[in-house]
Amino acid sequence: MNKFEIGNEIKQRRKFLKITQQELSEIVGIGLRSLIDIESGKGNPTIDQLQKVLSALGLTFEIKVISNG
Amino acid sequence: MNKFEIGNEIKQRRKFLKITQQELSEIVGIGLRSLIDIESGKGNPTIDQLQKVLSALGLTFEIKVISNG
DNA sequence: CAATAAAGTGCAGTAAGTTGCACATTTCTC
DNA sequence: GAGAAATGTGCAACTTACTGCACTTTATTG
């Protein structure tokens, strides 16, 4: 899962919840500009920022071992 | 999953693979100091850095919807 | 299609992550 | 338990992310 996929997941989820980037940025407490960059995959956010956004959207992330099955 | 848990996952995996922090930092191409901070949960790395470390360890991460089931 | 809202961009200042160094502490190994 | 290896810390420089602003482009709505 790369930055673009992450951005898309976030964007999809935000749209599903029917909120704007502006609204989400205010809910999360990060700059609108940062959120835009995250969603477009152009940014390189810190874990804290990513966590905040995911959390606000009812999302979370897990670490997994890459398996061959 | 918070930064401490992430750090622990990484540390556990690294030890499982029997490599030192020094070695892993060289494999990944990041500073030893950064890796130490990531493993201890003190750092706040960018996605790029986290991805590099996870990838080198044969790990990956997924975004999931938080469910009530 | 005109008006408005939403999304996206370049830029520059501010805040924060990254790194190596020198050193301290903990953990192995004999 | 001495010596060595691995892990961890404070610090300062260097680099990069974060943010708001002014503006452009792309939906959306009447």
Side-chain angles (χ1 to χ4, degrees):
Chain A
M1 179 158 235
N2 59 41
K3 285 190 295 184
F4 293 92
E5 293 172 321
I6 293 169
N8 272 328
E9 287 276 352
I10 291 172
K11 176 173 278 188
Q12 297 298 316
R13 181 68 175 174
R14 177 177 59 76
K15 289 190 172 178
F16 173 76
L17 296 174
K18 292 196 168 56
I19 53 182
T20 66
Q21 292 179 324
Q22 176 87 51
E23 290 167 336
L24 181 56
S25 75
E26 286 167 4
I27 293 169
V28 175
I30 69 172
L32 168 59
R33 183 50 193 272
S34 298
L35 179 59
I36 288 173
D37 287 345
I38 291 172
E39 284 195 357
S40 67
K42 289 172 186 164
N44 183 25
T46 59
I47 291 184
D48 277 347
Q49 279 223 324
L50 182 60
Q51 298 267 42
K52 281 189 210 167
V53 174
L54 293 180
S55 175
L57 292 170
L59 299 173
T60 186
F61 81 88
E62 295 179 358
I63 291 180
K64 292 198 165 190
V65 179
I66 299 174
S67 57
N68 301 323
Chain B
M1 178 158 236
N2 60 41
K3 286 190 294 184
F4 293 92
E5 292 171 321
I6 292 168
N8 272 327
E9 287 276 353
I10 290 172
K11 175 172 277 187
Q12 297 299 316
R13 181 70 176 173
R14 176 178 59 77
K15 289 192 171 177
F16 173 76
L17 297 174
K18 292 194 168 56
I19 53 182
T20 66
Q21 292 178 324
Q22 176 88 51
E23 289 167 337
L24 181 56
S25 74
E26 285 166 5
I27 293 169
V28 175
I30 69 172
L32 167 59
R33 183 51 194 272
S34 298
L35 180 60
I36 288 172
D37 286 343
I38 291 172
E39 285 195 356
S40 68
K42 289 173 186 163
N44 182 24
T46 60
I47 291 186
D48 276 347
Q49 279 222 323
L50 181 61
Q51 298 265 40
K52 282 190 209 166
V53 174
L54 293 179
S55 175
L57 292 171
L59 299 173
T60 186
F61 81 88
E62 296 179 358
I63 292 180
K64 294 199 166 191
V65 179
I66 300 174
S67 58
N68 301 323

